[in-house]
């Protein structure tokens, strides 16, 4: 049982490394970034869709609206989860010291 878990974990880590290798600038732990920022930094629309859909209480939106979602970085290697759909828009700050945010 432990061997199966360990080998499955190795496959998961290998897959994650291959996906993250394509990201030019991964987000870092507890950083909040707009979908548009993540797309500019090398994330794919499929990455954003998966992260957005992980939040089960999010409204249904088309892929074209993922740039208006505020994502939270869950680790230091680029993993993300959809935090908020910004109805008006997502404000890109463009600074590693200040998070992006939903605009009013």
């Amino acid at each position: 049982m432990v061997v199966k878990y360990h080998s499955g974990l190795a496959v998961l880590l290998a897959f994650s490394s291959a996906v993250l290798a394509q990201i030019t600038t991964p987000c870092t732990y507890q950083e909040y970034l707009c979908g548009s920022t993540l797309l500019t930094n090398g994330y794919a629309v499929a990455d954003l869709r998966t992260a957005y859909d992980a939040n089960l209480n999010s409204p249904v939106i088309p892929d074209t609206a993922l740039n208006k979602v505020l994502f939270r970085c869950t680790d230091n290697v680029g993993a993300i989860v959809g935090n908020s759909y910004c109805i008006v828009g997502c404000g890109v700050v463009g600074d590693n010291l200040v998070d992006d945010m939903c605009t009013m």
Side-chain angles (χ1 to χ4, degrees):
M1 184 87 165
V2 173
V3 174
K4 285 184 178 181
Y5 175 75
H6 182 54
S7 64
L9 181 61
V11 170
L12 177 63
L13 290 174
F15 175 73
S16 298
S17 297
V19 172
L20 293 175
Q22 298 171 0
I23 299 171
T24 55
T25 308
C27 62
T28 57
Y29 183 64
Q30 295 298 351
E31 186 176 23
Y32 287 85
L33 295 171
C34 295
S36 58
T37 301
L38 294 171
L39 290 169
T40 300
N41 291 346
Y43 287 78
V45 171
D47 299 329
L48 272 56
R49 171 55 63 193
T50 300
Y52 182 77
D53 291 344
N55 186 341
L56 301 177
N57 296 320
S58 299
V60 176
I61 61 170
D63 286 351
T64 55
L66 289 170
N67 62 333
K68 291 174 40 175
V69 173
L70 188 63
F71 291 88
R72 180 175 56 83
C73 305
T74 59
D75 61 24
N76 282 324
V77 293
I80 56 174
V81 66
N83 186 70
S84 308
Y85 172 64
C86 304
I87 295 170
V88 174
C90 195
V92 177
V93 176
D95 185 340
N96 282 339
L97 301 176
V98 181
D99 291 328
D100 291 348
M101 61 190 81
C102 289
T103 57
M104 301 280 189

